Amino acid sequence: MASRPPENWRAYMADTAREVAAGTLPPGCAGAADPYPESLLQSTDAALEVFEGEVRALREPSDEAVFETVERVVLALNAIDRDEQHGGPHFCTEEREQLCDYIDLTLSEHGVDVAALAARRGIDRAAITDRWRDW
């Protein structure tokens, strides 16, 4: 199963903190060790967990059912990204790519042919979240 992006972000923060502690990264970079507030990580994990459950529940889904599931997770992630409790927008290029890859991989792992799904809509596979995504 695909690892959720917040797992990657937590690992990045731990690696950066170790490098600062070991002296291999300048102390001025210490702020880079904590770019993701725990509230953001937890909220993102929760939204992705709901998405996973919805994808698991899909049985021979129509394209519309798959896109509705994608829409719900993207809208949830939009709300998380805008939520001021996390200190403002956090899903930048790297995070966006990880989230989109995670959505694609999760669908694929549960039998959805994402390339064919996208082709039937006349879009690129990488664009399945674009209609709703603000981040």
Side-chain angles (χ1 to χ4, degrees):
M1 174 144 213
S3 65
R4 292 183 192 146
E7 293 175 31
N8 301 332
W9 305 338
R10 284 183 177 102
Y12 165 78
M13 290 188 313
D15 289 345
T16 302
R18 278 192 293 278
E19 289 178 33
V20 169
T24 58
L25 190 64
C29 295
D34 194 18
Y36 307 107
E38 187 58 32
S39 62
L40 176 84
L41 297 171
Q42 289 177 0
S43 296
T44 304
D45 266 336
L48 296 177
E49 184 175 356
V50 168
F51 170 68
E52 292 165 6
E54 289 182 3
V55 171
R56 274 192 303 275
L58 295 173
R59 300 286 182 250
E60 298 181 32
S62 65
D63 289 358
E64 192 61 35
V66 174
F67 274 107
E68 288 171 358
T69 303
V70 171
E71 178 182 10
R72 282 190 294 276
V73 72
V74 170
L75 293 177
L77 293 168
N78 285 346
I80 292 164
D81 189 49
R82 287 189 305 263
D83 192 331
E84 289 300 319
Q85 79 168 332
H86 313 307
H90 283 279
F91 301 146
C92 297
T93 301
E94 185 175 333
E95 292 82 9
R96 179 184 71 234
E97 290 173 0
Q98 288 180 30
L99 288 165
C100 289
D101 287 347
Y102 178 80
I103 290 167
D104 183 305
L105 186 56
T106 300
L107 291 169
S108 296
E109 287 177 345
H110 290 87
V112 175
D113 184 341
V114 178
L117 174 76
R120 288 190 294 274
R121 288 284 173 106
I123 60 175
D124 184 81
R125 177 183 191 142
I128 65 169
T129 63
D130 288 358
R131 182 173 172 194
W132 309 283
R133 185 166 47 83
D134 292 338
W135 32 272

